[in-house]
Amino acid sequence: MTLYSPRTRRRRLGVATAAAGLLAALLAAGPVSATPDPGDKSSAPKSVSKSTEAEVEKAISAGDIPGQDEIVHSDNIQHVTNIPKDALPGTNSDLAFQGKYAFAGNYDGFRVFDISDPKAPKTVAQVLCPGSQNDVSVSGNLLFLSTDSSRSDDSCASTTQPATEKSSWEGMKVFDISDKKNPKYVSAVETACGSHTHTLVPEKKNVYVYVSSYSPSATFPDCKPPHDGISVIKVPRNAPQKAAVVNFPVLFPGDGEDGGGNPGAPTNPGVSKTTGCHDITVLPSKDLAAGACMGDGILFSIADPENPKVIDQVQDNVNFAFWHSATFNQKANKVVFTDELGGGGAATCNEAIGPDRGADGIYDITGKGDKRKLVFKSYFKIPRHQADTENCVAHNGSLIPVKGKDLMVQAWYQGGVSVWDFTDSAKPKEIGYFERGPLTTDKMTTGGSWSAYYYNGYIYSNDIAKGFDVLKVSDARTDPAKKIRLGELNVQTQPDYFG
């Protein structure tokens, strides 16, 4: 039986001893793996010590954390419905929206939902096309899908193949979604080091795609160091089969194999070496973009979309292990960067890790034009401790459009979904949440909300293990957002809500 509870947990989880070992490992090694988000398949559950298991069970019994799979939420959040995974059993990933449809990425392909009735979403199509991460975006009649695992070819029937093989393929796939019930695969573009994520810069005749990828190796024929830029693909709307890479702008110029990004360890212990970008968010109305690039955060101009130009570059070698994603506020005078400490597969939302690691970093944007600077103001992390069997860290989120306020909804893997306010850059605060108790109490099992986005009055969350969740927030602070209606939303291509 599903349990609903508005009560706020005390979150006194006593896991400091167990987590101390994890913290030491994270500080020494940086991200848990070379590819921070879960790999080609969901990570196999890893057993925890008997003492950790006992601590988790004790915390559940004491009411400090929810019970296994128990649903809890704040008074202002309603869990509307859940649609379990169906024909695509892989890891659920990112989300995109168009009209009455939601597009949900999955490591086995993507699923199309009719969300005209958010209380009862209906599956319109499920497309089998394996290849992590299957990050998904839509623009007009086109759907874009990232492949960041080495495949035998560019087809949807491909199999895994070592990246050391020259014939291996990874990159971007393009589908025609003019018929939502029958998406058609129309073209593919191979990109250096694949496509971990991608970001659309849409224009009338063309769609530019910024492809983020990283972790090169001298043994990879198509992904050799230095890999200190992004691939720019130009896709003609009327001839998507002609999609092609038109540039590879170097964002971190420098000499030698390492380029000019963060050198990582041993210079900066516990920080990722910058060998590309993880994710980019563009604000087309302002010709502006923010890049989360492993060991660096950057601000750059996209006035010429084929030739983006870096304006400012920042690092945080104390508390940020892996710059993962970025979100502008509506006025474009702030950026929220996320730190994916532990690569999305570790328990970092506990007392031992603390409030400043695996968190969001809020930066004000000062100055004008090419003299703009990113100025750090504060960190935000969910205030609810999680069990040491729950992967939890800052992940994908979006603005909740309320004029004059900076409100955001964000996924935290098994930390659930958080609604928070960063109107005061120096004093961010959580104003609502939804979460499930741990998937397991005797193993570290990867799960939880990958992406949580606000779209046309509801919050939609793609849970890695549990499926597609619909939430509704009812709060005087967020209610004005219900008036905002969009025809399309790719969160990494931020709209001008009030322009």
Side-chain angles (χ1 to χ4, degrees), residues 7-36:
R7 63 188 180 279
T8 300
R9 299 279 181 164
R10 287 170 289 165
R11 299 291 191 256
R12 290 196 314 262
L13 184 56
V15 293
T17 301
L22 170 64
L23 177 59
L26 292 173
L27 289 171
V32 165
S33 61
T35 303

Side-chain angles (χ1 to χ4, degrees), residues 99-141:
K100 66 177 184 178
Y101 298 100
F103 303 83
N106 178 285
Y107 278 34
D108 288 327
F110 64 92
R111 190 173 182 179
V112 184
F113 290 99
D114 181 337
I115 56 171
S116 52
D117 180 1
K119 297 178 182 178
K122 296 178 181 178
T123 299
V124 173
Q126 298 190 71
V127 177
L128 179 64
C129 196
S132 66
Q133 298 201 130
N134 280 343
D135 187 25
V136 62
S137 296
V138 294
S139 183
N141 289 330

Side-chain angles (χ1 to χ4, degrees), residues 329-348:
N329 69 336
Q330 172 61 26
K331 291 183 179 179
N333 60 8
K334 300 177 189 177
V335 182
V336 174
F337 288 104
T338 66
D339 171 27
E340 196 184 39
L341 173 69
T348 71

Side-chain angles (χ1 to χ4, degrees), residues 193-263:
C193 301
S195 175
H196 196 71
T197 66
H198 68 269
T199 304
L200 305 186
V201 185
E203 295 186 337
K204 187 174 181 179
K205 293 183 178 180
N206 304 297
V207 180
Y208 287 97
V209 185
Y210 290 171
V211 176
S212 296
S213 56
Y214 53 91
S215 293
S217 169
T219 65
F220 298 163
D222 299 316
C223 181
K224 291 182 179 293
H227 181 74
D228 46 15
I230 58 174
S231 297
V232 179
I233 298 174
K234 184 178 180 180
V235 185
R237 290 188 184 277
N238 294 330
Q241 70 276 7
K242 295 182 179 180
V245 175
V246 293
N247 197 11
F248 186 86
V250 174
L251 303 177
F252 303 96
D255 297 329
E257 183 176 303
D258 293 338
N262 198 315

Side-chain angles (χ1 to χ4, degrees), residues 4 64 76 154 165 193 215 230 251 318 368 417-418 428 453:
Y4 294 86
D64 295 333
N76 56 358
D154 64 4
E165 294 285 340
C193 301
S215 293
I230 58 174
L251 303 177
V318 176
K368 295 181 180 180
V417 175
S418 176
Y453 300 146

